[in-house]
């Protein structure tokens, strides 16, 4: 991207917890409205996300191979998207979250975050499969993952706030070629 629309991608940390929590909450309330029960998006979601991200970004996971990775997309110093990668005991890496600020989807931020995630996994976890879980009713996200080469490998049920079970798909990407994504900063 060029001009004022340019974004960069950097590694995130504890200093990003509040911004990521706010972006996560905003994205959930926009993307999942009408897909998940309203109570899952209601009162307390923002506080729950702030607590979650504070914990995720400050806890000591021990060794680097067990430590999740936060990649933050920024535009003019403001977070506009993020991806959170969680190494799994079976050697795969879960994309636990991939969100772009509402109103900015469709502009390449998500694509660049996914490419950066694949490059990060290839570099830190050579040969590892990258995968994610997506609600079956989230057709926009499904179309994006399929355009980006994701392969649907199974169906399952996901548990959401309030104990709601919702059908979802699992998408996976095989090990990516090593390289940096366009627009990615090296930090």
């Amino acid at each position: 991207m060029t001009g004022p629309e340019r974004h960069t991608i950097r590694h995130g940390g504890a200093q990003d917890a509040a911004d990521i929590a706010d972006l996560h909450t905003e994205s959930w309330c926009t993307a999942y409205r009408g897909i998940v029960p309203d109570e899952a998006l209601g009162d307390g979601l923002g506080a729950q996300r702030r607590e979650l991200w504070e914990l995720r970004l400050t806890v000591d996971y021990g060794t680097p191979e067990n430590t999740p990775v936060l990649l933050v997309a920024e535009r003019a110093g403001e977070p506009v998207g993020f991806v959170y990668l969680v190494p799994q005991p079976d050697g795969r890496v879960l994309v636990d979250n991939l969100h772009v600020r509402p109103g900015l989807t469709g502009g390449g931020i998500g694509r660049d975050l996914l490419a950066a995630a694949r490059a990060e996994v290839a570099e830190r976890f050579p040969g590892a499969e990258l995968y994610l879980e997506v609600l079956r009713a989230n057709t926009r996200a499904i179309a994006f993952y399929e355009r980006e080469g994701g392969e649907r490998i199974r169906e399952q049920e996901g548990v959401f706030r309030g104990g709601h079970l919702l059908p979802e798909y699992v998408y996976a990407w095989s090990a990516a070629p090593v390289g940096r994504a366009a627009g990615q900063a090296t930090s």
Side-chain angles (χ1 to χ4, degrees), residues 27-46:
S27 180
W28 256 54
C29 288
T30 301
Y32 294 152
R33 179 91 40 222
I35 295 176
V36 302
D38 286 343
E39 75 178 54
L41 303 174
D43 291 341
L45 180 63

mmCIF file of all heavy atoms in Angstrom, residues 27-46:
data_model
loop_
_atom_site.group_PDB
_atom_site.id
_atom_site.type_symbol
_atom_site.label_atom_id
_atom_site.label_comp_id
_atom_site.label_asym_id
_atom_site.label_seq_id
_atom_site.Cartn_x
_atom_site.Cartn_y
_atom_site.Cartn_z
ATOM 1 N N SER A 27 -13.859 -5.830 16.990
ATOM 2 C CA SER A 27 -13.963 -6.764 15.876
ATOM 3 C C SER A 27 -15.002 -7.856 16.155
ATOM 4 O O SER A 27 -15.811 -8.186 15.288
ATOM 5 C CB SER A 27 -12.595 -7.391 15.589
ATOM 6 O OG SER A 27 -12.683 -8.298 14.520
ATOM 7 N N TRP A 28 -14.971 -8.418 17.353
ATOM 8 C CA TRP A 28 -15.956 -9.445 17.722
ATOM 9 C C TRP A 28 -17.368 -8.911 17.588
ATOM 10 O O TRP A 28 -18.245 -9.568 17.033
ATOM 11 C CB TRP A 28 -15.710 -9.897 19.162
ATOM 12 C CG TRP A 28 -15.060 -11.226 19.279
ATOM 13 C CD1 TRP A 28 -13.896 -11.629 18.702
ATOM 14 C CD2 TRP A 28 -15.534 -12.338 20.043
ATOM 15 N NE1 TRP A 28 -13.605 -12.916 19.079
ATOM 16 C CE2 TRP A 28 -14.601 -13.361 19.892
ATOM 17 C CE3 TRP A 28 -16.645 -12.532 20.845
ATOM 18 C CZ2 TRP A 28 -14.749 -14.595 20.510
ATOM 19 C CZ3 TRP A 28 -16.792 -13.760 21.468
ATOM 20 C CH2 TRP A 28 -15.851 -14.783 21.291
ATOM 21 N N CYS A 29 -17.605 -7.720 18.133
ATOM 22 C CA CYS A 29 -18.955 -7.157 18.134
ATOM 23 C C CYS A 29 -19.452 -6.848 16.730
ATOM 24 O O CYS A 29 -20.656 -6.867 16.482
ATOM 25 C CB CYS A 29 -19.005 -5.909 19.016
ATOM 26 S SG CYS A 29 -18.885 -6.303 20.781
ATOM 27 N N THR A 30 -18.546 -6.593 15.817
ATOM 28 C CA THR A 30 -18.919 -6.324 14.432
ATOM 29 C C THR A 30 -19.038 -7.620 13.629
ATOM 30 O O THR A 30 -20.062 -7.876 12.997
ATOM 31 C CB THR A 30 -17.875 -5.397 13.768
ATOM 32 O OG1 THR A 30 -17.818 -4.189 14.518
ATOM 33 C CG2 THR A 30 -18.234 -5.095 12.332
ATOM 34 N N ALA A 31 -18.005 -8.445 13.663
ATOM 35 C CA ALA A 31 -17.964 -9.647 12.822
ATOM 36 C C ALA A 31 -18.932 -10.729 13.268
ATOM 37 O O ALA A 31 -19.433 -11.493 12.438
ATOM 38 C CB ALA A 31 -16.543 -10.209 12.786
ATOM 39 N N TYR A 32 -19.190 -10.831 14.569
ATOM 40 C CA TYR A 32 -19.995 -11.939 15.085
ATOM 41 C C TYR A 32 -21.439 -11.573 15.397
ATOM 42 O O TYR A 32 -22.211 -12.434 15.792
ATOM 43 C CB TYR A 32 -19.337 -12.542 16.324
ATOM 44 C CG TYR A 32 -18.014 -13.211 16.039
ATOM 45 C CD1 TYR A 32 -17.046 -13.292 17.025
ATOM 46 C CD2 TYR A 32 -17.710 -13.751 14.796
ATOM 47 C CE1 TYR A 32 -15.832 -13.914 16.791
ATOM 48 C CE2 TYR A 32 -16.503 -14.362 14.553
ATOM 49 C CZ TYR A 32 -15.564 -14.444 15.552
ATOM 50 O OH TYR A 32 -14.362 -15.057 15.320
ATOM 51 N N ARG A 33 -21.815 -10.294 15.216
ATOM 52 C CA ARG A 33 -23.198 -9.895 15.457
ATOM 53 C C ARG A 33 -24.103 -10.684 14.508
ATOM 54 O O ARG A 33 -23.866 -10.738 13.315
ATOM 55 C CB ARG A 33 -23.367 -8.396 15.232
ATOM 56 C CG ARG A 33 -24.740 -7.890 15.431
ATOM 57 C CD ARG A 33 -25.124 -7.411 16.812
ATOM 58 N NE ARG A 33 -24.114 -6.652 17.516
ATOM 59 C CZ ARG A 33 -23.873 -6.837 18.823
ATOM 60 N NH1 ARG A 33 -24.529 -7.745 19.507
ATOM 61 N NH2 ARG A 33 -22.967 -6.125 19.430
ATOM 62 N N GLY A 34 -25.096 -11.359 15.072
ATOM 63 C CA GLY A 34 -26.005 -12.173 14.275
ATOM 64 C C GLY A 34 -25.505 -13.590 14.045
ATOM 65 O O GLY A 34 -26.227 -14.423 13.512
ATOM 66 N N ILE A 35 -24.257 -13.868 14.430
ATOM 67 C CA ILE A 35 -23.680 -15.213 14.276
ATOM 68 C C ILE A 35 -23.634 -15.928 15.613
ATOM 69 O O ILE A 35 -23.960 -17.104 15.703
ATOM 70 C CB ILE A 35 -22.272 -15.141 13.647
ATOM 71 C CG1 ILE A 35 -22.358 -14.606 12.216
ATOM 72 C CG2 ILE A 35 -21.600 -16.504 13.669
ATOM 73 C CD1 ILE A 35 -21.007 -14.416 11.545
ATOM 74 N N VAL A 36 -23.226 -15.204 16.651
ATOM 75 C CA VAL A 36 -23.190 -15.779 17.998
ATOM 76 C C VAL A 36 -24.314 -15.144 18.809
ATOM 77 O O VAL A 36 -24.780 -14.042 18.485
ATOM 78 C CB VAL A 36 -21.825 -15.576 18.693
ATOM 79 C CG1 VAL A 36 -20.695 -16.179 17.873
ATOM 80 C CG2 VAL A 36 -21.549 -14.129 18.972
ATOM 81 N N PRO A 37 -24.775 -15.805 19.849
ATOM 82 C CA PRO A 37 -25.832 -15.210 20.685
ATOM 83 C C PRO A 37 -25.400 -13.850 21.227
ATOM 84 O O PRO A 37 -24.240 -13.637 21.572
ATOM 85 C CB PRO A 37 -26.002 -16.231 21.820
ATOM 86 C CG PRO A 37 -25.507 -17.521 21.243
ATOM 87 C CD PRO A 37 -24.386 -17.149 20.311
ATOM 88 N N ASP A 38 -26.367 -12.921 21.287
ATOM 89 C CA ASP A 38 -26.069 -11.558 21.737
ATOM 90 C C ASP A 38 -25.384 -11.529 23.092
ATOM 91 O O ASP A 38 -24.522 -10.683 23.329
ATOM 92 C CB ASP A 38 -27.347 -10.720 21.789
ATOM 93 C CG ASP A 38 -27.840 -10.326 20.402
ATOM 94 O OD1 ASP A 38 -27.046 -10.407 19.435
ATOM 95 O OD2 ASP A 38 -29.010 -9.934 20.287
ATOM 96 N N GLU A 39 -25.743 -12.441 23.992
ATOM 97 C CA GLU A 39 -25.126 -12.428 25.331
ATOM 98 C C GLU A 39 -23.622 -12.687 25.272
ATOM 99 O O GLU A 39 -22.879 -12.250 26.144
ATOM 100 C CB GLU A 39 -25.801 -13.418 26.275
ATOM 101 C CG GLU A 39 -25.446 -14.861 26.022
ATOM 102 C CD GLU A 39 -26.102 -15.808 27.016
ATOM 103 O OE1 GLU A 39 -27.330 -15.764 27.163
ATOM 104 O OE2 GLU A 39 -25.362 -16.584 27.633
ATOM 105 N N ALA A 40 -23.140 -13.372 24.228
ATOM 106 C CA ALA A 40 -21.709 -13.625 24.083
ATOM 107 C C ALA A 40 -20.959 -12.354 23.696
ATOM 108 O O ALA A 40 -19.743 -12.286 23.820
ATOM 109 C CB ALA A 40 -21.458 -14.726 23.062
ATOM 110 N N LEU A 41 -21.691 -11.351 23.204
ATOM 111 C CA LEU A 41 -21.084 -10.086 22.789
ATOM 112 C C LEU A 41 -21.430 -8.951 23.742
ATOM 113 O O LEU A 41 -21.020 -7.818 23.527
ATOM 114 C CB LEU A 41 -21.565 -9.714 21.383
ATOM 115 C CG LEU A 41 -21.294 -10.740 20.292
ATOM 116 C CD1 LEU A 41 -21.942 -10.307 18.986
ATOM 117 C CD2 LEU A 41 -19.815 -10.971 20.119
ATOM 118 N N GLY A 42 -22.165 -9.262 24.784
ATOM 119 C CA GLY A 42 -22.721 -8.229 25.644
ATOM 120 C C GLY A 42 -21.814 -7.741 26.739
ATOM 121 O O GLY A 42 -20.584 -7.751 26.643
ATOM 122 N N ASP A 43 -22.478 -7.325 27.801
ATOM 123 C CA ASP A 43 -21.810 -6.724 28.957
ATOM 124 C C ASP A 43 -20.615 -7.551 29.415
ATOM 125 O O ASP A 43 -20.692 -8.766 29.503
ATOM 126 C CB ASP A 43 -22.794 -6.588 30.123
ATOM 127 C CG ASP A 43 -23.857 -5.552 29.849
ATOM 128 O OD1 ASP A 43 -23.646 -4.702 28.969
ATOM 129 O OD2 ASP A 43 -24.908 -5.597 30.516
ATOM 130 N N GLY A 44 -19.558 -6.857 29.684
ATOM 131 C CA GLY A 44 -18.374 -7.501 30.226
ATOM 132 C C GLY A 44 -17.393 -8.013 29.195
ATOM 133 O O GLY A 44 -16.295 -8.431 29.550
ATOM 134 N N LEU A 45 -17.761 -8.004 27.911
ATOM 135 C CA LEU A 45 -16.840 -8.523 26.891
ATOM 136 C C LEU A 45 -15.542 -7.725 26.866
ATOM 137 O O LEU A 45 -14.456 -8.296 26.852
ATOM 138 C CB LEU A 45 -17.491 -8.531 25.505
ATOM 139 C CG LEU A 45 -16.602 -9.056 24.366
ATOM 140 C CD1 LEU A 45 -16.231 -10.515 24.589
ATOM 141 C CD2 LEU A 45 -17.302 -8.874 23.016
ATOM 142 N N GLY A 46 -15.635 -6.409 26.890
ATOM 143 C CA GLY A 46 -14.427 -5.580 26.861
ATOM 144 C C GLY A 46 -13.521 -5.827 28.057
ATOM 145 O O GLY A 46 -12.308 -5.982 27.904
#
